[in-house]
Amino acid sequence: MLGPISESLGAHTGPRMLQRWSASDFAKNGQFIQDMAGPIFALLAPKPGERILDLGCGDGTLTAEIEAAGADVIGLDVSAELLAVARMKGLSVKRADAHDLDYVQEFDAVFSNAALHWMQDPALVIDGVARALRPGGRFVGELGGHGNIAAIATALRAVVKARGGDPAQAVPWYFPTMEEFGALLSGHGFVVREMALVPRSTPLKGDMHGWLGTFCRFFFDRFEEPERSHVLEEALDLLRPSLCDTQGRWTVNHIRLRFSAERGPS
């Protein structure tokens, strides 16, 4: 749902790997994102009458919960497929790039869950968020933190390197440390109220094939068949020893960076 390299909050400038999203695949393989959103939603604590921006809203599952709390919420994303599902839920959503926010002091809060790590120019995004918030407004979110899905990222880099490519260009994700992200927020006029790295092992309801097909489509789409199938099997072989148990059950090792910050008065 969600990023600068993707159709979900896509890159502002320069070349990009295109991540396409399937609404049905996301609903099947991304349910854990909503299932584990309780703590970050509680940190947002939306109030009736507040105007809130859901940045990287995807299919609108959490947007609907914010609306149900009585807030006036608008969701932004770049995935037309996911936004179509959100609109079917009767939500107010807009296709827009998080790097090009044009709101000025319109919101009491900006919320983002599992989206910011897709955005390759976080300083530009945070600048737009600060501009969109009213003085004293809050920015609450959760993204992948440093070390998030490390085994998966390493396996994809290894596959690229084995084919003579540049492993540094293999994956698009931005997984900052608390110090790095905290400095970005402070540099754009935010006062950090809460921040934590949260390790979270996530058992998959399906298999790793489905997870990779949903969240790493940008990676596999660059290969033509039959090489694409070979690349997928290579990645699975690399991941199996560390992420699959003897019963064939897969786990993804997430490390989430959860934060709440307040926009300064100026």
Side-chain angles (χ1 to χ4, degrees), residues 118-200:
W118 287 98
M119 303 174 195
Q120 284 193 303
D121 193 338
L124 191 61
V125 174
I126 293 170
D127 183 65
V129 170
R131 193 168 52 250
L133 283 168
R134 295 167 181 151
R138 60 200 191 279
F139 184 20
V140 178
E142 187 174 289
L143 66 154
H146 186 66
N148 187 54
I149 59 170
I152 293 171
T154 300
L156 298 185
R157 292 187 180 104
V159 169
V160 167
K161 185 175 182 179
R163 284 167 168 73
D166 181 1
Q169 302 298 318
V171 296
W173 302 304
Y174 167 69
F175 297 144
T177 64
M178 287 199 300
E179 293 77 11
E180 178 185 354
F181 199 71
L184 272 177
L185 290 170
S186 298
H188 287 84
F190 284 97
V191 177
V192 177
R193 298 303 186 190
E194 295 187 40
M195 183 174 287
L197 279 177
V198 184
R200 190 165 69 206

Side-chain angles (χ1 to χ4, degrees), residues 159 163 225-237:
V159 169
R163 284 167 168 73
E225 290 291 4
E227 186 181 18
R228 183 182 302 158
S229 295
H230 298 323
V231 166
L232 175 59
E233 288 306 316
E234 287 178 29
L236 290 171
D237 287 344

Side-chain angles (χ1 to χ4, degrees), residues 7-264:
E7 285 187 323
S8 216
L9 296 178
H12 177 64
T13 59
R16 61 179 180 158
M17 294 172 283
L18 183 64
Q19 166 77 1
R20 294 180 295 161
W21 295 93
S22 160
S24 59
D25 285 351
F26 185 78
K28 177 181 178 182
N29 297 303
Q31 184 61 43
F32 68 91
I33 296 174
Q34 286 77 35
D35 291 345
M36 296 184 173
I40 188 63
F41 190 82
L43 193 59
L44 174 66
K47 301 175 182 62
E50 285 191 317
R51 183 156 169 78
I52 297 177
L53 176 66
D54 185 358
L55 194 62
C57 65
D59 63 7
T61 300
L62 294 179
T63 319
E65 293 192 24
I66 295 171
E67 183 179 75
D72 174 16
V73 60
I74 181 171
L76 296 189
D77 209 289
V78 177
S79 171
E81 293 80 6
L82 297 181
L83 288 174
V85 177
R87 290 191 182 98
M88 289 174 63
K89 299 174 182 177
L91 298 169
S92 176
V93 295
K94 177 182 177 182
R95 192 176 189 191
D97 186 338
H99 298 82
D100 289 319
L101 297 178
D102 58 2
Y103 300 103
V104 178
Q105 296 191 14
E106 291 192 35
F107 297 98
D108 300 294
V110 174
F111 174 74
S112 184
N113 183 49
L116 292 167
H117 52 248
W118 287 98
M119 303 174 195
Q120 284 193 303
D121 193 338
L124 191 61
V125 174
I126 293 170
D127 183 65
V129 170
R131 193 168 52 250
L133 283 168
R134 295 167 181 151
R138 60 200 191 279
F139 184 20
V140 178
E142 187 174 289
L143 66 154
H146 186 66
N148 187 54
I149 59 170
I152 293 171
T154 300
L156 298 185
R157 292 187 180 104
V159 169
V160 167
K161 185 175 182 179
R163 284 167 168 73
D166 181 1
Q169 302 298 318
V171 296
W173 302 304
Y174 167 69
F175 297 144
T177 64
M178 287 199 300
E179 293 77 11
E180 178 185 354
F181 199 71
L184 272 177
L185 290 170
S186 298
H188 287 84
F190 284 97
V191 177
V192 177
R193 298 303 186 190
E194 295 187 40
M195 183 174 287
L197 279 177
V198 184
R200 190 165 69 206
S201 292
T202 307
L204 298 185
K205 294 181 179 179
D207 58 20
M208 182 58 71
H209 185 289
W211 193 97
L212 291 174
T214 298
F215 295 101
C216 300
R217 188 170 177 176
F218 68 88
F219 181 85
F220 295 102
D221 276 357
R222 75 182 72 182
F223 301 100
E224 299 291 337
E225 290 291 4
E227 186 181 18
R228 183 182 302 158
S229 295
H230 298 323
V231 166
L232 175 59
E233 288 306 316
E234 287 178 29
L236 290 171
D237 287 344
L238 289 169
L239 292 170
R240 193 169 283 108
S242 57
L243 299 184
C244 186
D245 67 16
T246 56
Q247 304 301 312
R249 295 171 297 202
W250 288 88
T251 298
V252 174
N253 291 325
H254 289 110
I255 298 177
R256 300 316 231 188
L257 195 162
R258 185 180 300 155
F259 68 92
S260 176
E262 183 178 301
R263 182 189 185 277

